[in-house]
Amino acid sequence: AFVKGRWLNKSLYEIYEKEFSTKINQNTIKYRNLKVNGQLACNVNVILKSNFTIESTHHFHEKPVLDQEIEIIHNDENLIVCNKPNSMPIHPCGCFKHNSLQYILARKFKKHFKIIHRLDALTSGIVMLGKNVATVQKFGQLLKNHDVKKTYLARVVGDFPDDEQIVCDRKIFYSISKAAGVTDDRFGKESETVFRKIHSEVVETDKGKVLSSVVYCYPKTGRTHQIRIHLKCLEIGRASCRERV
């Protein structure tokens, strides 16, 4: 990574402690092969300057994802559309790389596909990926202009109301302390989701038999984890079954 503006004239130790909540020492430099400008850092007090680079090696094992064949729904010269299983991120992020949808498809088709839109790792559903820049720009503009309607299905705990539709417009704020999105009408961003019940039924879970409802979800905005957060905050709703919030 190139040194960011906020890192200038600060030491390696300060940056790792503040940005990554990690206290480093000489052993860290040795075992993570921590380098500044391509050379092994002489100590943790190296002062970072403009145009410096930092690199390190950290060995870890990726988290597993569902061993499930990815269903290809459509495939032409410009676009590939597939059904993403849950547990799998769209692209490399955090502790995922090779187990991301983008990398799995690249191994299968020997071709790199470009991201058009995203689904949460825990969410299964239809994903479009582009084969060229023009296609990505075309669909990206449609999404930006809200010319594409998104529909999700969620299974929630409890008997969801039979109203024609229920609207939740609580603002969503990303809380650093909780490392999660929360409803916050003061600091949050505008968010809106429309819900409509399909049916209720009793299902078998790891906690026994539970009354649940299947609900149509129509997000009008695209905040991270928006549907699950709005379901959780509805007084008459419940958190999604088998999904963390």
Side-chain angles (χ1 to χ4, degrees):
F2 281 97
V3 169
K4 306 178 189 301
R6 63 178 181 273
W7 298 357
L8 292 177
N9 299 316
K10 295 182 179 179
S11 68
L12 268 179
Y13 184 90
E14 290 177 293
I15 298 306
Y16 266 79
E17 183 178 38
K18 183 175 181 180
E19 300 281 341
F20 309 113
S21 300
T22 300
K23 294 185 177 181
I24 62 173
N25 52 36
Q26 289 300 123
N27 287 331
T28 310
I29 293 176
K30 176 182 177 181
Y31 291 114
R32 291 197 179 185
N33 198 27
L34 182 53
K35 296 179 180 180
V36 176
N37 291 339
Q39 301 295 322
L40 196 68
C42 56
N43 59 63
V44 297
N45 296 314
V46 172
I47 301 300
L48 302 176
K49 301 294 183 180
S50 180
N51 294 323
F52 275 24
T53 59
I54 302 174
E55 60 180 287
S56 68
T57 303
H58 181 52
H59 178 82
F60 68 91
H61 294 271
E62 285 193 47
K63 291 182 179 180
V65 297
L66 287 179
D67 183 17
Q68 181 176 325
E69 184 70 20
I70 297 173
E71 177 188 3
I72 305 301
I73 298 171
H74 176 81
N75 190 6
D76 62 26
E77 66 275 12
N78 296 313
L79 189 71
I80 185 168
V81 182
C82 62
N83 187 6
K84 183 187 82 69
N86 71 339
S87 80
M88 183 185 299
I90 295 287
H91 53 75
C93 59
C95 59
F96 289 100
K97 182 177 180 181
H98 298 285
N99 285 342
S100 65
L101 176 68
Q102 196 175 32
Y103 266 62
I104 292 173
L105 291 176
R107 289 197 299 273
K108 181 175 182 177
F109 291 95
K110 311 301 181 186
K111 182 179 178 64
H112 177 78
F113 300 116
K114 303 177 188 300
I115 303 299
I116 293 177
H117 66 108
R118 294 168 175 80
L119 285 180
D120 295 344
L122 293 176
T123 303
S124 60
I126 306 303
V127 175
M128 301 185 297
L129 297 99
K131 297 184 179 181
N132 50 64
V133 174
T135 300
V136 174
Q137 291 177 339
K138 172 186 174 182
F139 283 96
Q141 193 61 47
L142 290 172
L143 289 164
K144 183 178 180 180
N145 295 339
H146 301 288
D147 293 328
V148 176
K149 181 179 179 181
K150 298 179 181 179
T151 302
Y152 294 80
L153 290 175
R155 183 180 292 279
V156 300
V157 177
D159 188 13
F160 205 81
D162 291 316
D163 305 52
E164 183 175 342
Q165 67 177 29
I166 294 174
V167 178
C168 182
D169 57 2
R170 294 289 302 278
K171 294 180 180 179
I172 293 177
F173 173 75
Y174 184 81
S175 169
I176 297 177
S177 61
K178 295 182 178 180
V182 296
T183 52
D184 188 317
D185 292 329
R186 182 180 178 187
F187 297 108
K189 294 182 178 180
E190 297 290 339
S191 308
E192 182 180 344
T193 313
V194 178
F195 300 102
R196 182 167 62 84
K197 176 181 173 180
I198 301 174
H199 70 271
S200 295
E201 62 182 350
V202 175
V203 296
E204 192 72 43
T205 71
D206 53 2
K207 296 182 179 179
K209 293 184 178 181
V210 173
L211 176 63
S212 70
S213 303
V214 178
V215 180
Y216 273 126
C217 311
Y218 308 102
K220 303 298 184 181
T221 51
R223 310 302 174 204
T224 301
H225 301 155
Q226 175 177 314
I227 293 175
R228 291 197 292 276
I229 293 170
H230 275 174
L231 280 171
K232 186 178 181 181
C233 81
L234 285 173
E235 292 183 6
I236 42 72
R238 298 292 188 272
S240 303
C241 295
R242 303 187 183 90
E243 291 197 1
R244 299 193 302 270
V245 177

